[in-house]
Amino acid sequence: MDSQIKKIHQQLVSKEITCTELVQRKLDLLKKNTHNTANSLLESSALELAAKVDAKISNGETIGVLEGIPFGIKDVYMLQGTYTTASSNLLKHYKSAYTATAIQKLLDAGAIPIVKENCDSFGHGSSSENTIFGAVKNAINPELVGGGSSGGSAVNVAKDYTIFSIGGDTGGSIRQPAGYNKIYGLKPTYGRISRYGLMAYASSTDCVGPLAKSIEDIRIVLNVMSGKDAKDQTSIESESISEETIANTNTVKTIGYFKNFIENDAIDTQIKNDFLASIEKIKAKGIEVKALDFFKSDILVSTYYTLAMAETASNLSRLDGTNYGNRIESENLKETYAVTRSENFSEETKRRIVGGNQVLSQGFSDEIYLKGLALRDQISENFNKDFEEVDIIISPVTPSTPPKIGDSLKDPLAMYLSDAYTVGFSLGQLPTLTIPQGTSTGIQITAAKNNDAHVLQFANFLKETI
């Protein structure tokens, strides 16, 4: 299987390249980068770690497959001693006091973090334009958005500035930018990877996940980060996925797709035609394809944003400049809180906080929030029934191609609707992978909970099929 990680590992072991040379090359690329992907470079620490890997190799010691591999981190993860800004004005000078569990597992495996990556502030956006560091530019066409909220992570992988990157996916924030930049991006089963040390957006759907250029690299990184964590009560035990398991591509007999996604007036004609052509290629391989009924995409979007805004309003209530953040003093404590939050949060973040507080307020919570929770339960039940009929569900990643930089800021509703095909799988807490094939923004592959291996298996099948 194609794997940049394994290829570089062999180059390091055979001394074709030193780890110091490898890391320095990537740092140099990031310094010259004009796509606004890097919030801060971790140059000194990365080169120190690289020197240790080189010393081990020189001494004839065995190194692990991830040892010495340079990677990027979306700037919403704690990494002790580094700036962790969430691309926000409020936290632009904040340094992490500890390291996120998922990142620590990668460090323990010897991987080397080289950059904290640009993103929509606090994950609030689908374009990576809501950031104090400037809009992330698409890897293929810099006039277009990089996607969001993990836009910097996706573009860094696509441009080979990092070997892999760690993004965060709440409603599509790994999968959509992966599709926009033609790489792989995985949202695992909710809880498979600990969220400890990830700045919370919507706690019930936040997922840690990898972006990479191959399925095998996704598998390697996923295995390292997965597992139960005593610091995150929502985390779950999970079995390691072997290379042999995902190479066995004959396990899927029936797939489904949501016909209302394809019959939607909002879908781009070319994306629709390409998706249907991919369906025909799958049928030609002898796999049964079923058209499934599902909730309308506007119901999915409104349900997701109702719950996500409520959760982010609650999660961000702690950010008032008292314990950390860019505090702005005013005439009294109440005014200080108000000015600090008003001046430091982005317009999109303020929009979500206001919306969330409205959803949770007395007189509205029963009518809106509780209805959203009930709909989420119905969506999960719908998925349970679907996976009694099919092994895999596939769908377009987005209804349209990436917009030009600036367009999403003019029309927030259009930005929310760009998540129409991703948020349902987030509400269902299902493992979902974007692959860079099938349409101009890729195809999503989804399986039932805890069946992450099936998603990677079918991705391997489609790599040879469409």
Side-chain angles (χ1 to χ4, degrees), residues 291-352:
L292 303 171
D293 290 315
F294 198 45
F295 291 79
K296 290 180 179 178
S297 55
D298 57 345
I299 292 175
L300 296 173
V301 170
S302 59
T303 302
Y304 167 75
Y305 276 102
T306 293
L307 299 177
M309 286 184 178
E311 291 185 34
T312 202
S314 176
N315 282 324
L316 291 185
S317 63
R318 73 193 77 172
L319 296 181
D320 54 23
T322 301
N323 294 313
Y324 32 69
N326 183 31
R327 183 183 177 97
I328 301 173
E329 294 290 347
S330 191
E331 51 195 68
N332 56 53
L333 186 60
K334 186 176 179 180
E335 282 297 312
T336 295
Y337 289 162
V339 173
T340 295
R341 288 166 67 83
S342 178
E343 294 296 320
N344 284 311
F345 282 139
S346 70
E347 290 304 308
E348 183 57 37
T349 294
K350 286 187 278 190
R351 188 178 293 118
R352 297 187 186 206

Side-chain angles (χ1 to χ4, degrees), residues 395-427:
S395 70
V397 180
T398 63
S400 55
T401 53
K404 285 187 176 181
I405 290 173
D407 288 356
S408 295
L409 297 179
K410 297 173 193 170
D411 190 355
L413 181 58
M415 179 183 69
Y416 299 157
L417 292 174
S418 72
D419 297 333
Y421 299 161
T422 55
V423 294
F425 303 117
S426 295
L427 292 167

Side-chain angles (χ1 to χ4, degrees), residues 55-339:
K56 285 183 73 172
I57 293 168
S58 294
N59 293 334
E61 296 177 49
T62 301
I63 63 167
V65 71
L66 271 181
E67 208 156 349
I69 304 296
F71 73 101
I73 305 171
K74 182 178 180 180
D75 202 7
V76 290
Y77 287 95
M78 301 298 169
L79 176 60
Q80 189 172 27
T82 69
Y83 287 106
T84 303
T85 70
S87 295
S88 73
N89 202 52
L90 185 67
L91 297 177
K92 62 185 177 184
H93 301 304
Y94 175 70
K95 280 192 174 181
S96 304
Y98 64 99
T99 298
T101 297
I103 305 304
Q104 187 61 55
K105 286 186 172 186
L106 292 168
L107 294 175
D108 293 344
I112 299 177
I114 61 172
V115 59
K116 299 296 283 292
E117 297 167 321
N118 199 0
C119 57
D120 284 300
S121 181
F122 295 104
H124 298 159
S126 304
S127 63
S128 291
E129 294 173 280
N130 299 296
T131 162
I132 62 168
F133 295 102
V136 175
K137 298 176 183 178
N138 190 283
I140 300 152
N141 180 351
E143 293 184 359
L144 307 180
V145 302
S149 60
S150 308
S153 304
V155 173
N156 278 342
V157 170
K159 298 291 289 183
D160 291 316
Y161 300 154
T162 59
I163 306 305
F164 67 91
S165 286
I166 304 305
D169 192 307
T170 305
S173 293
I174 286 174
R175 291 163 286 154
Q176 184 248 46
Y180 279 2
N181 294 283
K182 298 189 182 301
I183 60 169
Y184 292 92
L186 175 68
K187 183 196 85 65
T189 296
Y190 178 81
R192 184 183 177 99
I193 302 174
S194 170
R195 291 181 295 111
Y196 179 76
L198 163 64
M199 287 190 197
Y201 166 15
S203 305
S204 66
T205 56
D206 284 345
C207 287
V208 179
L211 299 104
K213 279 194 164 180
S214 74
I215 301 161
E216 177 62 4
D217 287 350
I218 293 283
R219 183 193 70 83
I220 292 168
V221 177
L222 174 66
N223 279 343
V224 169
M225 293 194 296
S226 296
K228 182 76 174 170
D229 178 17
K231 296 172 183 173
D232 175 7
Q233 293 184 356
T234 64
S235 62
I236 57 173
E237 295 286 357
S238 57
E239 290 185 8
S240 186
I241 301 169
S242 70
E243 185 175 356
E244 293 73 27
T245 296
I246 69 167
N248 179 12
T249 59
N250 299 317
T251 58
V252 174
K253 305 301 179 187
T254 309
I255 70 158
Y257 71 95
F258 297 130
K259 58 187 177 186
N260 61 301
F261 280 14
I262 307 307
E263 294 165 0
N264 194 316
D265 292 339
I267 192 169
D268 180 271
T269 302
Q270 193 59 54
I271 289 178
K272 176 180 179 176
N273 292 340
D274 289 346
F275 181 79
L276 291 174
S278 298
I279 290 286
E280 292 305 313
K281 291 176 182 176
I282 293 168
K283 283 182 181 176
K285 292 288 186 178
I287 290 177
E288 184 183 359
V289 177
K290 292 185 177 182
L292 303 171
D293 290 315
F294 198 45
F295 291 79
K296 290 180 179 178
S297 55
D298 57 345
I299 292 175
L300 296 173
V301 170
S302 59
T303 302
Y304 167 75
Y305 276 102
T306 293
L307 299 177
M309 286 184 178
E311 291 185 34
T312 202
S314 176
N315 282 324
L316 291 185
S317 63
R318 73 193 77 172
L319 296 181
D320 54 23
T322 301
N323 294 313
Y324 32 69
N326 183 31
R327 183 183 177 97
I328 301 173
E329 294 290 347
S330 191
E331 51 195 68
N332 56 53
L333 186 60
K334 186 176 179 180
E335 282 297 312
T336 295
Y337 289 162
V339 173

Side-chain angles (χ1 to χ4, degrees), residues 22-30 70 114 160-163:
L22 169 66
V23 168
Q24 190 62 63
R25 282 182 198 174
K26 297 301 183 186
L27 288 167
D28 290 343
L29 287 171
L30 283 162
I114 61 172
D160 291 316
Y161 300 154
T162 59
I163 306 305

